[in-house]
Coordinates of all heavy atoms in Angstrom, one line a residue:
T285 N 4.1 0.3 4.8 CA 3.5 -0.7 3.9 C 4.1 -2.1 4.2 O 5.3 -2.3 4.4 CB 3.9 -0.4 2.5 OG1 3.3 0.9 2.1 CG2 3.4 -1.4 1.5
V286 N 3.2 -3.0 4.3 CA 3.6 -4.5 4.4 C 3.0 -5.2 3.2 O 1.8 -5.1 2.9 CB 3.0 -5.1 5.7 CG1 3.4 -6.5 5.8 CG2 3.6 -4.3 6.9
M287 N 3.9 -5.9 2.5 CA 3.5 -6.6 1.3 C 3.1 -8.0 1.7 O 3.8 -8.7 2.4 CB 4.6 -6.6 0.3 CG 4.4 -7.3 -1.0 SD 3.1 -6.5 -2.1 CE 4.0 -5.0 -2.6
M288 N 2.0 -8.5 1.1 CA 1.6 -9.9 1.2 C 1.9 -10.6 -0.1 O 1.6 -10.1 -1.1 CB 0.0 -9.9 1.5 CG -0.4 -9.3 2.8 SD -2.2 -9.1 2.9 CE -2.4 -7.5 2.1
V289 N 2.6 -11.7 0.1 CA 3.0 -12.5 -1.0 C 2.5 -13.9 -1.0 O 2.0 -14.4 0.1 CB 4.5 -12.5 -1.2 CG1 5.1 -11.1 -1.3 CG2 5.2 -13.3 0.0
S290 N 2.5 -14.6 -2.1 CA 2.1 -16.0 -2.2 C 3.2 -16.8 -1.7 O 4.4 -16.6 -1.9 CB 1.8 -16.4 -3.7 OG 0.6 -15.7 -4.1
G291 N 2.8 -17.9 -0.9 CA 3.8 -18.8 -0.4 C 4.7 -19.3 -1.5 O 4.2 -19.7 -2.6
G292 N 6.0 -19.3 -1.3 CA 6.9 -19.8 -2.3 C 7.6 -18.7 -3.1 O 8.6 -18.8 -3.7
Y293 N 7.0 -17.5 -3.1 CA 7.6 -16.3 -3.7 C 8.9 -16.0 -3.1 O 9.0 -16.1 -1.9 CB 6.6 -15.1 -3.6 CG 7.1 -13.8 -4.2 CD1 7.1 -13.6 -5.5 CD2 7.7 -12.9 -3.4 CE1 7.6 -12.4 -6.1 CE2 8.3 -11.7 -3.9 CZ 8.2 -11.5 -5.2 OH 8.7 -10.4 -5.7
P294 N 9.9 -15.7 -3.8 CA 10.0 -15.3 -5.2 C 10.2 -16.5 -6.2 O 10.3 -16.4 -7.4 CB 11.2 -14.4 -5.3 CG 12.1 -14.9 -4.3 CD 11.2 -15.5 -3.1
G295 N 10.1 -17.8 -5.6 CA 10.2 -18.9 -6.5 C 8.8 -19.3 -7.0 O 8.0 -18.4 -7.2
D296 N 8.6 -20.6 -7.1 CA 7.3 -21.1 -7.6 C 6.2 -20.8 -6.5 O 6.4 -20.9 -5.3 CB 7.4 -22.6 -7.8 CG 8.3 -22.9 -9.0 OD1 8.5 -22.0 -9.9 OD2 8.8 -24.1 -9.0
Y297 N 5.0 -20.4 -7.0 CA 3.9 -20.2 -6.1 C 2.6 -20.5 -6.9 O 2.6 -20.4 -8.1 CB 3.9 -18.7 -5.6 CG 4.0 -17.7 -6.8 CD1 2.9 -17.3 -7.5 CD2 5.2 -17.2 -7.2 CE1 3.0 -16.4 -8.5 CE2 5.3 -16.3 -8.2 CZ 4.2 -15.9 -8.9 OH 4.3 -15.0 -9.9
A298 N 1.6 -20.8 -6.1 CA 0.3 -21.1 -6.7 C -0.5 -19.8 -7.1 O -0.3 -18.8 -6.5 CB -0.5 -21.9 -5.8
K299 N -1.3 -19.9 -8.1 CA -2.2 -18.8 -8.5 C -3.6 -19.3 -8.4 O -3.9 -20.5 -8.3 CB -1.9 -18.4 -10.0 CG -0.6 -17.8 -10.2 CD -0.5 -17.3 -11.7 CE 0.8 -16.7 -12.0 NZ 0.9 -16.2 -13.4
G300 N -4.5 -18.3 -8.3 CA -6.0 -18.6 -8.3 C -6.5 -18.9 -6.9 O -7.6 -19.4 -6.8
M301 N -5.7 -18.6 -5.9 CA -6.2 -18.7 -4.5 C -7.2 -17.6 -4.2 O -6.9 -16.4 -4.4 CB -5.1 -18.7 -3.5 CG -4.0 -19.7 -3.7 SD -4.6 -21.3 -3.4 CE -4.1 -22.1 -5.0
A302 N -8.4 -18.0 -3.7 CA -9.4 -17.0 -3.3 C -8.9 -16.1 -2.2 O -8.3 -16.5 -1.2 CB -10.7 -17.7 -2.9
I303 N -9.2 -14.8 -2.4 CA -8.7 -13.8 -1.4 C -10.0 -13.2 -0.7 O -10.9 -12.8 -1.4 CB -7.9 -12.6 -2.0 CG1 -6.8 -13.2 -2.8 CG2 -7.5 -11.6 -1.0 CD1 -6.1 -12.1 -3.7
T304 N -9.9 -13.1 0.6 CA -11.0 -12.4 1.4 C -10.3 -11.2 2.1 O -9.2 -11.3 2.5 CB -11.7 -13.3 2.3 OG1 -10.7 -13.8 3.3 CG2 -12.4 -14.4 1.6
G305 N -11.1 -10.2 2.3 CA -10.7 -9.0 3.1 C -10.1 -7.9 2.4 O -9.9 -6.8 3.0
L306 N -10.0 -7.9 1.1 CA -9.4 -6.8 0.3 C -10.5 -5.8 -0.1 O -10.3 -4.8 -0.7 CB -8.7 -7.3 -0.9 CG -7.3 -7.8 -0.7 CD1 -6.7 -8.3 -2.0 CD2 -6.4 -6.8 0.0
D307 N -11.8 -6.2 0.2 CA -12.9 -5.4 -0.3 C -13.1 -4.1 0.5 O -13.8 -3.2 0.0 CB -14.2 -6.2 -0.3 CG -14.5 -6.9 1.0 OD1 -13.6 -7.1 1.8 OD2 -15.7 -7.2 1.3
K308 N -12.6 -4.0 1.7 CA -12.8 -2.8 2.5 C -11.4 -2.3 3.0 O -10.7 -3.0 3.7 CB -13.7 -3.1 3.7 CG -14.0 -1.9 4.5 CD -15.0 -2.2 5.6 CE -15.2 -0.9 6.4 NZ -15.7 -1.2 7.7
N309 N -11.0 -1.1 2.6 CA -9.8 -0.5 3.0 C -9.7 -0.3 4.5 O -10.7 0.0 5.1 CB -9.5 0.8 2.3 CG -9.1 0.7 0.8 OD1 -8.3 -0.3 0.5 ND2 -9.4 1.6 0.0
P310 N -8.5 -0.5 5.1 CA -8.3 -0.3 6.5 C -8.5 1.2 6.9 O -8.4 2.1 6.0 CB -6.9 -0.7 6.7 CG -6.2 -0.6 5.4 CD -7.3 -0.8 4.4
A311 N -8.8 1.5 8.1 CA -8.9 2.9 8.6 C -7.6 3.5 8.4 O -6.5 2.9 8.7 CB -9.3 2.9 10.1
D312 N -7.6 4.7 7.9 CA -6.3 5.5 7.6 C -5.4 4.7 6.7 O -4.1 4.8 6.9 CB -5.6 5.9 8.9 CG -6.4 6.8 9.7 OD1 -7.0 7.8 9.2 OD2 -6.5 6.6 11.0
G313 N -5.9 4.0 5.8 CA -5.0 3.2 4.9 C -5.7 2.8 3.6 O -6.9 3.1 3.3
V314 N -5.0 2.0 2.9 CA -5.4 1.5 1.6 C -4.7 0.1 1.3 O -3.6 -0.1 1.7 CB -5.2 2.5 0.5 CG1 -3.7 2.8 0.3 CG2 -5.9 2.1 -0.8
Y315 N -5.5 -0.7 0.6 CA -4.8 -1.9 0.0 C -4.5 -1.6 -1.4 O -5.3 -1.1 -2.2 CB -5.8 -3.1 0.0 CG -6.1 -3.6 1.4 CD1 -7.4 -3.6 1.9 CD2 -5.1 -4.2 2.2 CE1 -7.7 -4.1 3.2 CE2 -5.4 -4.7 3.4 CZ -6.7 -4.7 3.9 OH -7.0 -5.2 5.2
F316 N -3.3 -1.9 -1.8 CA -2.9 -1.8 -3.2 C -2.8 -3.2 -3.8 O -2.1 -4.1 -3.3 CB -1.5 -1.2 -3.3 CG -1.5 0.3 -3.0 CD1 -1.1 0.8 -1.8 CD2 -1.8 1.2 -4.0 CE1 -1.1 2.1 -1.5 CE2 -1.8 2.6 -3.8 CZ -1.4 3.0 -2.5
H317 N -3.6 -3.5 -4.8 CA -3.5 -4.8 -5.5 C -2.3 -4.8 -6.4 O -2.0 -3.9 -7.1 CB -4.8 -5.0 -6.3 CG -6.0 -5.1 -5.6 ND1 -6.8 -6.3 -5.6 CD2 -6.7 -4.3 -4.7 CE1 -7.8 -6.1 -4.8 NE2 -7.8 -5.0 -4.2
A318 N -1.6 -6.0 -6.3 CA -0.4 -6.1 -7.2 C -0.7 -7.4 -8.1 O -0.8 -7.3 -9.3 CB 0.8 -6.2 -6.4

């Protein structure tokens, strides 16, 4: 598992950034939304 984080995390980070690519799970895998 590789976690994607917002720039600045664990400190201050922006919210509301549009995300692309999470709509289709990878082959032999899954995206977990956090």
Side-chain angles (χ1 to χ4, degrees):
T285 296
V286 177
M287 181 66 70
M288 294 168 273
V289 302
S290 291
Y293 176 82
D296 293 335
Y297 52 86
K299 294 182 179 183
M301 302 293 126
I303 305 171
T304 59
L306 284 178
D307 53 332
K308 184 177 179 201
N309 281 325
D312 296 318
V314 64
Y315 290 118
F316 288 97
H317 291 244

